[in-house]
Each structure stands twice: as structure tokens, then as C-alpha cells.
């Protein structure tokens, strides 16, 4: 089993807003990804789901699906990035493996993974 370093999560609203405003983004029917280089010296990620997605149960399910897809990515994130994943309407009906495929393609396009 390979050692996976614990990635830090974004918790401060200003960090999310900075990623939305200055970061590059890619959109898919089940996931939106924002990526922005940071000066924190490590990779940080955050997951959001708005009330448009559904009630609290559905939003939490979406966050769990996205978290699991990110956790099981087989390629490490290189460099210092702030990454924000935004759940969309289709996220709750999609499997984490399908989300992972979309996530990997988006992160490659954004230059976050090799």
C-alpha cells in the first residue's frame, strides 16, 4: 500500500472566493473544478454543494462521492494548488468512479496532475 500524504482542506471562505475569482475552471455535467496556484507550500482542496443540488442529505452524499473520488486518484497532485470541487445536480446520481474519471481529465487539463 502506497503512502498518501494527508492533503489539507480549504476552510476559509476567502480561499474559496479567491479560487472562484482568479482560478481556472472546467465544467462537466456532474462536477465543476477550480484550480489556482497558492503560496501555502502544499496542495489544499475544498468541496462545495449549493442548495440547488438538493437537501442536506443529498448535498452530504455529493461531498462524500467527490471526496472519495479525489482520495482514490492514482496520480499525485504536483505543486502547490488550491483546488475547489463544486457538486452539480447530477453528482448525487453518479458513482465515485465516474466522478473520478471526470475529475482526472479536468485536473490534467488544468495542469494539476501529470
Amino acid at each position: 500500500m502506497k503512502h498518501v500524504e494527508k492533503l489539507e482542506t480549504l476552510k476559509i471562505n476567502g480561499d474559496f472566493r479567491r479560487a472562484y475569482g482568479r482560478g481556472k475552471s472546467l465544467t462537466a455535467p456532474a462536477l465543476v473544478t477550480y484550480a489556482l496556484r497558492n503560496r501555502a507550500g502544499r496542495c489544499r482542496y475544498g468541496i462545495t454543494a449549493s442548495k440547488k443540488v438538493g437537501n442536506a442529505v443529498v448535498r452530504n452524499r455529493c461531498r462524500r462521492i467527490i471526496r472519495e473520488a479525489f482520495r482514490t486518484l492514482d496520480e499525485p497532485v504536483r505543486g502547490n494548488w488550491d483546488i475547489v470541487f463544486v457538486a452539480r445536480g447530477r453528482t448525487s446520481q453518479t458513482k465515485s468512479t465516474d466522478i473520478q474519471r471526470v475529475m482526472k481529465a479536468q485536473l490534467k487539463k488544468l495542469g494539476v496532475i501529470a
Side-chain angles (χ1 to χ4, degrees), residues 33-50:
T33 303
Y34 292 88
L36 176 69
R37 285 209 176 270
N38 69 29
R39 293 181 182 168
R42 61 200 165 279
C43 179
R44 305 183 301 174
Y45 77 101
I47 302 169
T48 62
S50 75

Side-chain angles (χ1 to χ4, degrees), residues 2-18:
K2 63 182 179 181
H3 172 70
V4 179
E5 75 176 74
K6 177 138 172 41
L7 294 170
E8 191 175 318
T9 57
L10 292 173
K11 296 178 185 82
I12 299 169
N13 189 19
D15 293 337
F16 281 92
R17 286 174 130 15
R18 193 175 311 108

